[in-house]
Coordinates of all heavy atoms in Angstrom, one line a residue:
A169 N 4.3 4.2 -4.5 CA 3.4 3.1 -4.9 C 4.2 1.9 -5.1 O 5.2 1.9 -5.7 CB 2.6 3.5 -6.2
L170 N 3.7 0.8 -4.5 CA 4.4 -0.5 -4.6 C 3.4 -1.5 -5.1 O 2.2 -1.6 -4.6 CB 4.9 -0.9 -3.2 CG 5.9 -0.1 -2.5 CD1 5.7 -0.1 -1.0 CD2 7.3 -0.5 -2.9
A171 N 3.8 -2.4 -6.0 CA 3.1 -3.6 -6.3 C 3.8 -4.7 -5.5 O 5.1 -4.9 -5.7 CB 3.1 -3.9 -7.8
V172 N 3.1 -5.4 -4.6 CA 3.7 -6.4 -3.7 C 3.1 -7.7 -4.0 O 1.9 -7.9 -4.0 CB 3.5 -5.9 -2.3 CG1 3.9 -7.0 -1.3 CG2 4.2 -4.6 -2.0
Q173 N 4.0 -8.7 -4.1 CA 3.5 -10.1 -4.4 C 3.9 -11.1 -3.3 O 5.0 -10.9 -2.7 CB 4.2 -10.5 -5.7 CG 3.8 -11.9 -6.2 CD 4.4 -12.2 -7.5 OE1 4.3 -11.4 -8.5 NE2 4.9 -13.4 -7.7
G174 N 3.1 -12.0 -3.1 CA 3.4 -13.1 -2.1 C 2.2 -14.0 -1.9 O 1.1 -13.8 -2.4
V175 N 2.4 -15.0 -1.0 CA 1.3 -15.8 -0.6 C 0.3 -15.0 0.2 O 0.7 -14.4 1.2 CB 1.9 -17.0 0.2 CG1 0.7 -17.9 0.7 CG2 2.9 -17.8 -0.6
N176 N -0.9 -15.0 -0.2 CA -1.9 -14.2 0.5 C -1.5 -12.7 0.7 O -1.7 -12.1 1.8 CB -2.3 -14.8 1.9 CG -3.0 -16.1 1.8 OD1 -3.7 -16.3 0.8 ND2 -2.7 -17.0 2.7
A177 N -0.9 -12.1 -0.3 CA -0.3 -10.8 -0.2 C -1.3 -9.7 0.3 O -1.0 -8.9 1.1 CB 0.3 -10.3 -1.5
V178 N -2.6 -9.8 -0.2 CA -3.6 -8.8 0.2 C -3.8 -8.9 1.7 O -3.7 -7.9 2.4 CB -4.9 -9.0 -0.6 CG1 -6.0 -8.1 0.0 CG2 -4.7 -8.7 -2.1
E179 N -4.1 -10.1 2.2 CA -4.4 -10.3 3.6 C -3.2 -10.0 4.5 O -3.3 -9.3 5.5 CB -4.9 -11.7 3.9 CG -6.2 -12.0 3.2 CD -6.1 -12.4 1.7 OE1 -4.9 -12.4 1.2 OE2 -7.1 -12.6 1.1
V180 N -2.0 -10.5 4.0 CA -0.8 -10.3 4.9 C -0.5 -8.8 5.0 O -0.2 -8.3 6.1 CB 0.4 -11.0 4.2 CG1 1.7 -10.6 4.9 CG2 0.2 -12.6 4.4
M181 N -0.6 -8.0 3.9 CA -0.3 -6.6 4.0 C -1.3 -5.9 4.8 O -1.0 -4.9 5.6 CB -0.2 -6.0 2.6 CG 1.1 -6.2 1.9 SD 2.6 -5.6 2.8 CE 2.2 -4.0 3.3
R182 N -2.6 -6.2 4.8 CA -3.6 -5.6 5.6 C -3.3 -5.9 7.1 O -3.4 -5.0 8.0 CB -5.0 -6.1 5.3 CG -5.5 -5.8 3.9 CD -6.0 -4.3 3.8 NE -7.2 -4.0 4.6 CZ -7.8 -2.9 4.5 NH1 -7.4 -1.9 3.7 NH2 -8.9 -2.6 5.2
Q183 N -2.8 -7.1 7.4 CA -2.5 -7.5 8.7 C -1.3 -6.7 9.2 O -1.3 -6.1 10.4 CB -2.1 -9.0 8.8 CG -3.2 -9.9 8.9 CD -2.7 -11.4 8.7 OE1 -1.5 -11.6 8.8 NE2 -3.6 -12.3 8.6
I184 N -0.2 -6.6 8.4 CA 0.9 -5.9 9.0 C 0.7 -4.3 8.9 O 1.4 -3.6 9.7 CB 2.3 -6.3 8.3 CG1 2.3 -5.9 6.8 CG2 2.5 -7.8 8.5 CD1 3.7 -6.2 6.2
A185 N -0.2 -3.9 8.1 CA -0.5 -2.4 8.2 C -1.3 -2.1 9.5 O -1.1 -1.1 10.1 CB -1.4 -2.0 7.0
G186 N -2.2 -3.0 9.9 CA -3.0 -2.7 11.1 C -4.3 -2.0 10.8 O -4.6 -1.6 9.7
A187 N -5.1 -1.7 11.9 CA -6.4 -1.1 11.7 C -6.3 0.3 11.2 O -5.3 1.0 11.4 CB -7.1 -1.1 13.1
T188 N -7.4 0.7 10.5 CA -7.4 2.0 9.9 C -7.0 3.2 10.8 O -6.3 4.1 10.4 CB -8.8 2.3 9.3 OG1 -9.2 1.2 8.4 CG2 -8.9 3.6 8.6
D189 N -7.5 3.1 12.1 CA -7.1 4.1 13.0 C -5.9 3.7 13.8 O -5.9 2.8 14.6 CB -8.3 4.3 14.0 CG -8.1 5.4 15.0 OD1 -6.9 5.9 15.2 OD2 -9.0 5.8 15.7
P190 N -4.8 4.4 13.6 CA -3.5 3.9 14.2 C -3.6 3.9 15.7 O -2.9 3.1 16.4 CB -2.5 5.0 13.7 CG -3.0 5.5 12.5 CD -4.5 5.5 12.6
S191 N -4.4 4.7 16.3 CA -4.5 4.8 17.8 C -5.2 3.5 18.3 O -5.2 3.2 19.5 CB -5.2 6.0 18.3 OG -6.6 5.9 18.0
K192 N -5.8 2.7 17.4 CA -6.5 1.5 17.8 C -5.8 0.3 17.2 O -6.3 -0.9 17.4 CB -8.0 1.5 17.4 CG -8.7 2.6 18.2 CD -10.1 2.7 17.7 CE -10.8 3.9 18.5 NZ -11.8 4.5 17.7
A193 N -4.8 0.5 16.4 CA -4.2 -0.6 15.6 C -3.4 -1.5 16.6 O -2.9 -1.1 17.6 CB -3.2 -0.1 14.6
A194 N -3.3 -2.8 16.3 CA -2.6 -3.8 17.1 C -1.1 -3.4 17.2 O -0.5 -3.0 16.3 CB -2.8 -5.2 16.6
P195 N -0.6 -3.6 18.5 CA 0.9 -3.4 18.6 C 1.7 -4.1 17.6 O 1.4 -5.3 17.3 CB 1.1 -3.9 20.0 CG -0.2 -3.9 20.7 CD -1.2 -4.1 19.7
G196 N 2.7 -3.5 17.1 CA 3.6 -4.2 16.2 C 3.2 -4.0 14.7 O 4.0 -4.2 13.8
T197 N 2.0 -3.5 14.5 CA 1.6 -3.2 13.1 C 2.3 -1.8 12.7 O 2.7 -1.0 13.5 CB 0.1 -3.1 12.9 OG1 -0.4 -2.1 13.8 CG2 -0.5 -4.4 13.3
I198 N 2.3 -1.6 11.4 CA 3.0 -0.4 10.8 C 2.2 0.8 11.3 O 2.8 1.8 11.8 CB 3.0 -0.5 9.3 CG1 4.0 -1.6 8.9 CG2 3.4 0.9 8.7 CD1 4.0 -1.9 7.4
R199 N 0.9 0.8 11.3 CA 0.1 2.0 11.7 C 0.3 2.2 13.2 O 0.4 3.4 13.6 CB -1.3 1.8 11.3 CG -1.6 2.1 9.8 CD -2.9 1.6 9.4 NE -3.3 2.1 8.0 CZ -4.3 1.7 7.3 NH1 -5.1 0.7 7.8 NH2 -4.6 2.2 6.1
A200 N 0.4 1.2 14.0 CA 0.6 1.4 15.4 C 2.0 1.8 15.7 O 2.3 2.6 16.6 CB 0.3 0.1 16.2
N201 N 3.0 1.3 15.0 CA 4.4 1.7 15.2 C 4.7 3.1 14.8 O 5.6 3.8 15.4 CB 5.3 0.8 14.5 CG 5.5 -0.6 15.2 OD1 5.0 -0.8 16.3 ND2 6.1 -1.5 14.5
F202 N 4.0 3.6 13.8 CA 4.4 4.9 13.3 C 3.3 6.0 13.3 O 3.6 7.1 12.9 CB 4.9 4.7 11.8 CG 6.1 3.8 11.7 CD1 5.9 2.6 11.1 CD2 7.3 4.1 12.4 CE1 7.0 1.7 11.0 CE2 8.3 3.2 12.3 CZ 8.2 2.0 11.6
G203 N 2.1 5.7 13.7 CA 1.0 6.7 13.6 C 0.1 6.8 14.8 O 0.2 6.0 15.7
L204 N -0.7 7.9 14.8 CA -1.6 8.2 15.9 C -2.9 8.7 15.3 O -3.9 8.7 16.1 CB -1.0 9.2 16.8 CG -0.1 8.8 17.9 CD1 0.5 10.0 18.6 CD2 -0.8 7.8 18.9

Side-chain angles (χ1 to χ4, degrees):
L170 298 146
V172 171
Q173 179 175 317
V175 178
N176 294 326
V178 171
E179 295 79 3
V180 168
M181 278 306 311
R182 295 283 294 187
Q183 282 172 8
I184 66 175
T188 304
D189 183 346
S191 72
K192 297 178 182 145
T197 60
I198 290 168
R199 283 166 167 168
N201 283 349
F202 301 115
L204 278 173

